[in-house]
Amino acid sequence: MIDLKRTRTIAALSLALLAFGATAPAVAQGGQVRVYNWSDYIDPDIIKEFETKTGIKVTYDVFDSNELLETKLLAGGSGYDVVVPTGSFLSRQVKAGVFQALDKSKLPNLKNMWPLIQERTARYDPDNAYSINYMWGTTGIGYNEAMVKERMADAPVDSWKLVFDPEIAKKFESCGIYFLDAADDIIPAALHYLGLDPNSNEAADIEKAAAHLEKIRPYIRKFHSSEFINALANGDICIAVGYSGDILQARDRAEEADNGVTVVYSLPKEGAQMWFDQMAIPADAANVEQAHAFLNFMMEPEVIAKASNYANYASGNLASLEFVDEGIKGDGAIYPDEETLGKLYVKDSYTGATQRAVTRAWTRIVTGR
């Protein structure tokens, strides 16, 4: 794990400091806040607790692609006060002026954040001026152990070959493969598999990745960024390329249902993407004070730990480790060890021209034409 002995010590010190006095609310009671976040990403009790504690009414909507969120933000007038883009998207959105700088005087709980994660998110948001980490994780492979073994006893479940080698992927067409509907995750993974730079902005490299994905396209049943959770848990499909926490949610749902399905999350040995979902306030937010109150509340250690325990993701809040379930803290799929961390890459933002090329290529891949 990520030096958890050391981080637990720091977390304990942080909590000891908090014991000297409760953090004051960032704003006065009342009002409303509109939040736009990823699906299946928060314990509903957190919203109720915030409303009870502050008197602020929450409107909570969900999305399942960065592209959808970005379209709303760039068009202006999104109608939201807190949004949660992935780091690589946030970077160019900051440059486009769609967010407002955080008023850190209203965010005393920033002291709970994890320096290691802040250092990495600063790659997207220098000085973390516009955003706060909500969760972070990896993109890998989830699979139904029995269904995969039945079709290929020696399946390379620890490798991207399982889904990116056409001859191997073909073996699982009958039981179903789902991919994220997320060009920003899948194209870099394909580039990495091909031995190319996952952050390449070269048109020729994007085309190589797209051409390879088209070879396996006939064996992919669906591109969707959330439906694979229940599909895996229910035994409706055998493989999904998805976000670590979502696949672990599928694993837990299958266990709770006691339906004979065993879901496993694999972080491919070749390496994979490490991503960060960041909370930010749109420049045209109507309820800025309430948005800061919501962000500060989400940085309370016990609150964000509850979100981690629900969603099976690590948060960028160091002090929260004290309250994270042991099964999550000790799970290498959620908190990778140092060796695994060394193989993870971070996705940078595309240039405008490359993003357009990626969007065109992705449309071609998803539609099959």
Side-chain angles (χ1 to χ4, degrees), residues 185-205:
D185 292 281
I186 303 300
I187 286 181
L191 286 168
H192 189 62
Y193 173 75
L194 294 172
L196 300 170
D197 180 3
N199 278 308
S200 177
N201 275 281
E202 297 294 327
D205 288 344

Side-chain angles (χ1 to χ4, degrees), residues 84-349:
V84 190
T86 300
S88 56
F89 278 74
L90 174 125
S91 179
R92 66 168 174 264
Q93 291 161 0
V94 166
K95 293 174 184 175
V98 301
F99 299 121
Q100 56 183 276
L102 300 173
D103 183 346
K104 295 185 178 181
S105 70
K106 297 174 181 175
L107 301 170
N109 281 331
L110 278 170
K111 63 178 174 287
N112 298 322
M113 299 307 288
W114 194 337
L116 171 68
I117 301 304
Q118 287 185 304
E119 178 184 340
R120 297 197 180 191
T121 57
R123 182 167 177 169
Y124 304 116
D125 178 11
D127 299 322
N128 293 285
Y130 292 88
S131 69
I132 300 163
N133 182 251
Y134 178 66
M135 297 286 171
W136 62 271
T138 54
T139 301
I141 302 169
Y143 64 94
N144 180 309
E145 194 171 47
M147 293 172 78
V148 167
K149 187 175 182 179
E150 178 185 352
R151 287 160 178 79
M152 188 178 182
D154 59 347
V157 293
D158 63 343
S159 170
W160 282 116
K161 288 183 179 180
L162 185 69
V163 292
F164 284 146
D165 184 318
E167 291 304 312
I168 294 175
K170 185 178 182 179
K171 297 178 184 294
F172 304 104
E173 178 185 9
S174 62
C175 60
I177 300 174
Y178 272 35
F179 267 40
L180 289 169
D181 186 6
D184 217 49
D185 292 281
I186 303 300
I187 286 181
L191 286 168
H192 189 62
Y193 173 75
L194 294 172
L196 300 170
D197 180 3
N199 278 308
S200 177
N201 275 281
E202 297 294 327
D205 288 344
I206 301 302
E207 185 53 38
K208 287 177 184 176
H212 186 80
L213 287 166
E214 287 178 313
K215 293 178 183 177
I216 61 172
R217 177 64 182 90
Y219 316 123
I220 300 172
R221 182 179 296 179
K222 193 168 191 178
F223 291 85
H224 200 281
S225 294
S226 60
E227 286 185 9
F228 67 87
I229 301 174
N230 282 331
L232 269 178
N234 296 335
D236 296 331
I237 62 172
C238 56
I239 298 173
V241 175
Y243 304 122
S244 51
D246 287 348
I247 292 170
L248 294 172
Q249 278 191 50
R251 178 196 66 186
D252 292 349
R253 290 179 188 181
E255 290 177 355
E256 291 167 6
D258 194 22
N259 59 5
V261 172
T262 299
V263 175
V264 180
Y265 178 65
S266 173
L267 200 50
K269 61 185 178 183
E270 299 92 347
Q273 181 176 345
M274 184 180 188
W275 51 261
F276 307 89
D277 286 338
Q278 302 289 110
M279 298 184 289
I281 303 175
D284 58 0
N287 304 290
V288 177
E289 295 297 313
Q290 289 82 358
H292 279 86
F294 185 81
L295 296 183
N296 197 57
F297 178 77
M298 291 306 302
M299 286 187 288
E300 290 186 12
E302 291 184 77
V303 172
I304 197 64
K306 185 180 291 186
S308 285
N309 293 337
Y310 175 88
N312 283 306
Y313 283 112
S315 82
N317 189 305
L318 181 59
S320 72
L321 283 171
E322 180 76 13
F323 305 101
V324 175
D325 292 344
E326 288 298 328
I328 291 177
K329 264 190 298 197
D331 192 329
I334 302 173
Y335 289 95
D337 58 30
E338 293 295 334
E339 180 181 358
T340 304
L341 271 176
K343 296 180 180 179
L344 301 179
Y345 59 84
V346 176
K347 176 70 183 68
D348 293 332
S349 294

Side-chain angles (χ1 to χ4, degrees), residues 13-22:
L13 289 172
S14 299
L15 292 169
L17 290 172
L18 287 175
F20 284 100

